Amino acid sequence: MTMTNHSILITGCSSGIGEHAAYALKKRGYRVFASARKQQDVDKLKTNGLESVLLDVTNPDSIQQALQIILSMNDGKLDALFNNAGFLQTGAIEDLTLQMNHEQFETNVFGPMELTRQVLPIMRKQGHGRIIQNSSILGIVALPYCGAYNASKFALEGFSNTLRLELRNTNIHVSIINPGPIQSKLRDNAYVLHQENREALAQSVHQKIYQSLEKSYFGREKKDKLSQSPDAVVKQLIHALESKHPRAHYFVGLPSKGLSLCRRLFPDCVLDWMLSRVR
């Protein structure tokens, strides 16, 4: 099946899921607008054959400018949006500063909200559209020491669920993808942030936990055992884009499916006991 003339904007295409999805959908016949927040990444994507635009989801002006470029190239239309851009930072709640929380929400929540808001009039005018949010299983359950990220994904879930209800009587569909561990730079980038904050966290009461996280959560061996290829996310993305009746949620990978089931079956005290032991 090919989707010639179907267009999609994907955010966060510099690496990982976004980059993989951009190439896979282009091969499938989509007109892909792959965005990134750094010009060097935009240039790389263009060199590799993709149509790419500079887009920083934390900057409303950048969002508007990118959409203007896309609309001028595509007869004023945009069939789909994949809000993929995001990052993870670790740390205990009491160690996360207001600035750290603010930065997490700017990228993971406020950016997708604003981009979605600016895309909706386009989709209403053309009479159809697909909006897919790349959330996380941590938007369904919370892991300790990922408080800012947990909160941002829970917020994205609430926003997306509300949007789906408000668009119920339209031909604009909203889906949420909830990956578990995926082979990407998410943890690598999170480790860089963790190292940058290491000095500030040196006196934290959670210092021993942080040292443990460096060996377990950031450990290459465990990551390789649990992580899936971005192909697993792209498979669900294609269903959300092409199915006549796309699902509200797509859980990707055994950890994601298992934890979502546990969320429904177990009381909080049992789930808390289980999650407190995850590293």
Side-chain angles (χ1 to χ4, degrees):
M1 179 180 182
T2 60
M3 299 297 292
T4 305
N5 297 325
H6 279 65
S7 57
I8 181 170
L9 167 59
I10 305 175
T11 64
C13 293
S14 61
S15 65
I17 293 171
E19 182 182 33
H20 199 89
Y23 289 114
L25 292 180
K26 183 178 187 294
K27 184 176 180 180
R28 196 171 176 84
Y30 284 80
R31 183 169 189 185
V32 176
F33 296 100
S35 76
R37 65 184 179 89
K38 295 181 179 179
Q39 187 61 52
Q40 64 192 49
D41 292 322
V42 170
D43 293 340
K44 180 192 72 171
L45 292 166
K46 288 181 177 179
T47 299
N48 292 332
L50 288 170
E51 294 181 273
S52 184
V53 293
L54 192 67
L55 196 166
D56 180 352
V57 297
T58 68
N59 186 330
D61 291 336
S62 177
I63 291 174
Q64 186 176 32
Q65 291 167 10
L67 285 176
Q68 287 175 348
I69 292 171
I70 291 169
L71 295 178
S72 68
M73 298 170 63
N74 199 44
D75 297 325
K77 297 179 181 179
L78 182 64
D79 298 301
L81 167 65
F82 181 31
N83 276 314
N84 167 72
F87 76 96
L88 161 69
Q89 60 182 340
T90 57
I93 292 292
E94 61 193 293
D95 291 332
L96 295 172
T97 65
L98 178 61
Q99 181 64 27
M100 293 166 70
N101 287 321
H102 188 273
E103 290 173 354
Q104 186 79 90
F105 270 69
E106 281 287 346
T107 298
N108 290 16
V109 185
F110 302 140
M113 290 177 72
E114 177 60 17
L115 182 51
T116 299
R117 188 186 71 82
Q118 292 198 33
V119 162
L120 279 172
I122 302 166
M123 294 183 172
R124 283 191 178 276
K125 183 178 180 180
Q126 66 196 18
H128 68 273
R130 300 286 170 109
I131 299 171
I132 297 95
Q133 316 282 29
N134 193 19
S135 181
S136 168
I137 186 55
L138 299 189
I140 304 296
V141 301
L143 285 184
Y145 305 100
C146 296
Y149 186 79
N150 294 336
S152 72
K153 292 303 185 180
F154 269 76
L156 184 63
E157 294 275 337
F159 166 74
S160 303
N161 289 332
T162 304
L163 182 64
R164 190 177 63 252
L165 291 171
E166 293 176 354
L167 297 174
R168 186 174 175 82
N169 296 318
T170 72
N171 196 28
I172 303 172
H173 300 279
V174 180
S175 296
I176 306 169
I177 299 179
N178 298 92
I182 298 294
Q183 295 165 11
S184 72
K185 291 185 177 180
L186 185 75
R187 290 196 190 189
D188 292 338
N189 293 336
Y191 185 62
V192 171
L193 286 175
H194 176 77
Q195 292 294 93
E196 289 176 357
N197 295 324
R198 197 171 186 177
E199 185 175 343
L201 301 176
Q203 302 304 316
S204 171
V205 297
H206 301 278
Q207 183 58 221
K208 290 185 178 180
I209 296 294
Y210 294 150
Q211 293 173 357
S212 175
L213 286 174
E214 290 183 13
K215 296 178 181 179
S216 58
Y217 184 76
F218 294 121
R220 184 69 68 174
E221 181 179 351
K222 182 174 183 179
K223 181 169 62 174
D224 290 343
K225 287 182 178 179
L226 293 177
S227 297
Q228 284 196 296
S229 164
D231 284 329
V233 177
V234 174
K235 180 180 178 180
Q236 302 304 325
L237 173 61
I238 289 172
H239 188 280
L241 288 168
E242 299 178 9
S243 173
K244 185 177 180 181
H245 302 289
R247 297 197 288 270
H249 280 86
Y250 292 86
F251 296 99
V252 182
L254 185 60
S256 179
K257 294 174 182 177
L259 286 173
S260 67
L261 180 62
C262 291
R263 172 74 279 176
R264 295 193 296 271
L265 295 179
F266 297 148
D268 286 341
C269 59
V270 174
L271 193 61
D272 285 353
W273 179 84
M274 293 172 57
L275 294 172
S276 67
R277 282 154 176 76
V278 175
R279 291 288 185 270

